[in-house]
Amino acid sequence: MSKAEFAPEATARLIEQGNRRALARAITLVESAHPDHRQQAMALLAALLKDRQAIRIGLSGTPGVGKSTFIESFGLHLVGSGLKVAVLAVDPSSARSGGSILGDKTRMDQLSRHPGAYIRPSPSQTHLGGVARRTREATSLCEAAGFDVVLIETVGVGQSETMVAEMADLFVLLLAPAGGDELQGVKRGIMEMADLILINKADGDLKSAATRTCADYAGALRLLRKRSQDSEDFPKALTVSALEGAGLRQSWEEMQALVAWRREKGVWARTRASQNAFWFNAELRHALLTRLEHDPEAAEASRQLQQAIHAGDIAPSLAAERVVDIFLRPKA
Amino acid sequence: MSKAEFAPEATARLIEQGNRRALARAITLVESAHPDHRQQAMALLAALLKDRQAIRIGLSGTPGVGKSTFIESFGLHLVGSGLKVAVLAVDPSSARSGGSILGDKTRMDQLSRHPGAYIRPSPSQTHLGGVARRTREATSLCEAAGFDVVLIETVGVGQSETMVAEMADLFVLLLAPAGGDELQGVKRGIMEMADLILINKADGDLKSAATRTCADYAGALRLLRKRSQDSEDFPKALTVSALEGAGLRQSWEEMQALVAWRREKGVWARTRASQNAFWFNAELRHALLTRLEHDPEAAEASRQLQQAIHAGDIAPSLAAERVVDIFLRPKA
């Protein structure tokens, strides 16, 4: 989109009317790091209606747990009930692996062809912070486009769960059936983020293992249930079979129950407010550092001081203060 | 230390002469976040001799692996050979747990009383970046104080290994004997950082398990040995018994061999240079954000815009740009 022809208001209206092509182009725009595109993206986000809210569901699970199959089945269940569903992804590895979710899209064959669904491949940027910031803006675009549910998938690498939790209303952890010992394998931090733990593959030979695993997690969750803001019933563990479609309706009912409870108690609004504060701080850090990087005098000072550090003439902390002094001094 | 009485040159000379009290006070100074103390700390770091280099050894291992016992035994082995050894720690959890390494110090009873050793409890700050930045500066102080070896311990929480690897010349991973299946339990990223993997507890009933585990890791390391900058023999896996003192001499010989190889090939100097660049960037980000936080106009704009974000009137990214504009505009 060239600078001249981009009309934020008109684009915003197209997105709100459900124009998929406008939505896709807008997501590409928010994903771009080009300064002109950032300006356009911000104008577009400012022009959008803010009164539409989707249920944003963060979804994490280790590879092999059947996440694509789950998204396909669960997504089809939702669109089958007349809901509009968008699927986004925070996948910091996609830059390296060549975009794993593109593969997912072909695997989510039925869902991707359903008119009520929209599946967006993960942006291929190497920097997790960048991917997450843009995915959050893509989520806002999907909300304005009238989607009822936005599923935000993460591959569970590094801090991606934390990032996704900061943009989701609910966090779902998908796990495979396992022996009791493997309970330790799930990082405690992720357990603590989860509102709902779904043990997938509760079918065929694995059905009894899934039931046992579910009971193990239910026990572990009782110990973690300390979050005073939550209802007494959550976090909760359930078994599902993405393959056979079992447990999907119940999972969705549980999610809706939690959403209703959180809306009633004001938790929903408080969470969104604190998430906005989190992203404002992240954007602030990013914006400031971008300005520093583009300041020619600071860049030159930085180059010279790095040599002085290398020669052992100055400590990194003192050199950093000097660069900041140069960056912030009034320009002629 | 009050601002008036602090004399960076005199303090630097005391530290270089091996005055332990001056060293301890200087480390307290670099750990302080108070602006006056930061100024003093930077003046002190600038005043220190830069031509003394210790071997900085990063040490990681999960709880229960016998890390304190290992540091005690290994440290005693080193001081027994006439070397001076400092032990520092990056422990982001110590703020919460009330300083676990203070417990370690009492457990490192013999080492802490040896005149050739200096054990420093972990600074109790909640922010990992802060702890790591200050530990790096404490490492420089220990080098100037003439220590031959600085052991930098990390508890392996979050990104602390990465931080420690960025301030160490060598990275040692301490593991316990385990069944073959548990090999998966060590995060690949940490395996890739390690120069030496030591399987501790190679004594009594666990001796044969330790030997097996060592062979398993040796196999895994062969697959990882892709780092072209390294010698053909590293990373390497060895068994040790901190309890019986077995394998400590060999471990130290291996470390010295790797150091000699790296010095000869220029890897040592290149690594220190790239680490300095890493910390310069970290300090730069930190210094800039600290200035922003202390700018009254930016703080006021930030407060107002957070309300606007909360009301849905502005996107976090646009609000962030506005705050940065206010922060950077020339002051009257």
Side-chain angles (χ1 to χ4, degrees):
Chain A
M1 291 183 215
S2 80
K3 212 169 178 176
E5 78 188 34
F6 182 73
E9 292 292 340
T11 305
R13 298 298 86 77
L14 281 174
I15 291 168
E16 287 156 9
Q17 285 155 24
N19 185 312
R20 289 291 167 88
R21 205 167 151 213
L23 175 64
R25 289 177 66 189
I27 295 180
T28 303
L29 186 66
V30 299
E31 284 170 4
S32 169
H34 189 286
D36 286 350
H37 293 167
R38 284 308 301 150
Q39 290 298 323
Q40 292 174 3
M42 287 191 284
L44 174 61
L45 289 166
L48 288 169
L49 287 178
K50 303 293 186 302
D51 59 351
R52 289 180 178 175
Q53 284 194 335
I55 298 179
R56 301 171 168 191
I57 303 172
L59 180 70
S60 181
T62 42
V65 74
K67 207 158 35 166
S68 305
T69 317
F70 175 78
I71 295 174
E72 167 97 341
S73 300
F74 186 63
L76 285 171
H77 174 77
L78 297 179
V79 295
S81 328
L83 296 168
K84 289 172 70 189
V85 178
V87 181
L88 305 174
V90 173
D91 178 2
S93 66
S94 68
R96 274 166 283 155
S97 67
S100 60
I101 204 175
L102 281 169
D104 284 348
K105 193 167 177 176
T106 50
R107 271 178 286 156
M108 295 175 204
D109 189 36
Q110 279 187 271
L111 186 64
S112 63
R113 283 183 289 117
H114 195 287
Y118 175 72
I119 299 179
R120 176 77 186 186
S122 179
S124 52
Q125 281 181 278
T126 45
H127 182 247
L128 172 60
V131 173
R133 278 204 317 279
R134 300 311 153 229
T135 303
R136 186 188 54 83
E137 292 182 343
T139 305
S140 298
L141 292 169
C142 291
E143 288 196 304
F147 284 95
D148 302 293
V149 175
V150 181
L151 273 171
I152 311 158
E153 185 202 353
T154 171
V155 290
V157 173
Q159 293 194 282
S160 57
E161 273 103 351
T162 313
M163 293 293 192
V164 168
E166 285 292 349
M167 62 181 95
D169 301 308
L170 295 180
F171 197 85
V172 176
L173 182 59
L174 198 66
L175 296 173
D181 288 353
E182 292 177 52
L183 199 65
Q184 306 290 336
V186 179
K187 285 173 270 173
R188 193 187 153 106
I190 295 168
M191 287 275 285
E192 285 174 348
M193 267 177 219
D195 297 302
L196 205 57
I197 291 184
L198 301 179
I199 317 297
N200 192 21
K201 306 192 181 179
D203 44 48
D205 291 348
L206 290 170
K207 193 161 184 173
S208 62
T211 307
R212 249 182 294 116
T213 304
C214 184
D216 289 343
Y217 278 103
L221 287 173
R222 268 188 292 276
L223 300 174
L224 288 174
R225 202 170 293 159
K226 293 275 161 65
R227 297 184 290 180
S228 57
Q229 70 160 24
D230 268 339
S231 91
E232 273 178 43
D233 295 336
F234 289 89
K236 199 173 260 195
L238 299 174
T239 56
V240 294
S241 165
L243 205 65
E244 298 178 349
L248 300 176
R249 193 167 62 87
Q250 198 199 341
S251 300
W252 175 233
E253 283 170 0
E254 294 290 358
M255 292 180 209
Q256 285 176 294
L258 182 58
V259 166
W261 185 89
R262 285 189 177 167
R263 283 210 162 108
E264 189 195 317
K265 301 289 180 186
V267 176
W268 174 280
R270 277 202 301 280
T271 304
R272 287 220 168 190
S274 75
Q275 288 175 341
N276 277 330
F278 172 91
W279 290 106
F280 171 64
N281 282 317
E283 295 283 359
L284 194 51
R285 279 193 296 277
H286 180 75
L288 189 55
L289 292 168
T290 304
R291 300 284 182 101
L292 176 71
E293 277 163 25
H294 290 91
D295 184 275
E297 289 178 52
E300 176 58 21
S302 194
R303 201 186 55 74
Q304 287 177 10
L305 283 161
Q306 291 213 48
Q307 289 179 347
I309 292 169
H310 186 55
D313 294 336
I314 188 168
S317 49
L318 188 56
E321 291 292 339
R322 296 226 176 124
V323 172
V324 172
D325 284 338
I326 287 163
F327 176 56
L328 295 181
R329 78 182 172 203
K331 308 291 188 219
Chain B
M1 291 183 215
S2 80
K3 211 170 180 175
E5 78 189 35
F6 182 72
E9 292 292 340
T11 305
R13 299 299 86 79
L14 281 175
I15 292 169
E16 287 157 9
Q17 285 155 23
N19 185 310
R20 289 292 167 85
R21 205 166 151 215
L23 175 64
R25 290 176 67 189
I27 295 180
T28 303
L29 185 67
V30 299
E31 284 170 5
S32 168
H34 190 286
D36 287 350
H37 293 167
R38 283 309 299 150
Q39 290 298 323
Q40 292 174 2
M42 287 190 286
L44 175 60
L45 289 167
L48 288 170
L49 287 178
K50 303 294 186 302
D51 58 352
R52 290 181 178 173
Q53 284 194 336
I55 298 179
R56 302 173 167 188
I57 304 172
L59 179 71
S60 182
T62 42
V65 75
K67 208 159 33 167
S68 305
T69 316
F70 175 79
I71 294 173
E72 167 96 341
S73 301
F74 186 63
L76 285 171
H77 175 77
L78 297 179
V79 294
S81 329
L83 297 169
K84 290 173 68 190
V85 178
V87 181
L88 304 174
V90 172
D91 178 2
S93 66
S94 68
R96 273 166 282 156
S97 67
S100 60
I101 205 176
L102 280 169
D104 285 347
K105 194 168 176 176
T106 50
R107 270 177 286 155
M108 295 176 204
D109 190 34
Q110 281 187 270
L111 186 64
S112 64
R113 284 184 288 118
H114 195 286
Y118 175 72
I119 300 179
R120 176 77 185 184
S122 179
S124 52
Q125 279 182 279
T126 45
H127 183 247
L128 172 61
V131 173
R133 278 203 317 280
R134 300 313 153 227
T135 302
R136 186 187 57 81
E137 292 182 343
T139 305
S140 298
L141 292 170
C142 291
E143 288 196 304
F147 285 95
D148 302 293
V149 174
V150 181
L151 273 171
I152 311 157
E153 185 203 353
T154 170
V155 290
V157 173
Q159 293 194 283
S160 57
E161 273 102 353
T162 313
M163 293 295 192
V164 169
E166 286 290 349
M167 63 182 93
D169 302 308
L170 295 180
F171 198 85
V172 175
L173 182 59
L174 198 67
L175 296 174
D181 288 354
E182 291 176 53
L183 199 65
Q184 306 289 335
V186 179
K187 285 174 270 173
R188 193 188 155 106
I190 294 168
M191 286 274 285
E192 286 174 347
M193 267 176 219
D195 296 303
L196 205 56
I197 292 185
L198 300 180
I199 317 299
N200 193 21
K201 305 191 181 179
D203 44 48
D205 291 349
L206 289 170
K207 193 162 184 174
S208 63
T211 307
R212 250 183 294 116
T213 305
C214 184
D216 289 344
Y217 277 103
L221 287 172
R222 270 189 290 276
L223 300 174
L224 288 174
R225 203 169 291 160
K226 293 275 161 64
R227 297 183 291 179
S228 56
Q229 69 160 25
D230 269 338
S231 93
E232 272 179 43
D233 294 335
F234 289 89
K236 201 172 259 195
L238 299 174
T239 56
V240 294
S241 164
L243 205 63
E244 299 179 350
L248 299 177
R249 193 167 62 87
Q250 198 199 342
S251 301
W252 175 233
E253 283 170 0
E254 294 289 357
M255 292 180 209
Q256 284 176 293
L258 183 58
V259 165
W261 185 89
R262 286 190 177 165
R263 282 211 162 109
E264 188 195 317
K265 299 291 180 185
V267 176
W268 175 280
R270 276 202 301 280
T271 305
R272 288 223 168 187
S274 75
Q275 288 175 343
N276 277 330
F278 173 90
W279 290 106
F280 171 63
N281 282 317
E283 295 284 358
L284 193 51
R285 280 193 296 277
H286 180 74
L288 189 55
L289 292 167
T290 303
R291 301 283 183 100
L292 176 72
E293 277 162 27
H294 290 91
D295 184 277
E297 288 178 54
E300 175 58 23
S302 195
R303 203 187 54 74
Q304 287 177 11
L305 283 160
Q306 290 212 49
Q307 289 178 346
I309 292 169
H310 187 56
D313 293 335
I314 188 168
S317 49
L318 188 55
E321 291 291 341
R322 296 224 177 125
V323 172
V324 172
D325 284 337
I326 287 163
F327 176 56
L328 295 181
R329 79 182 170 201
K331 310 289 188 219

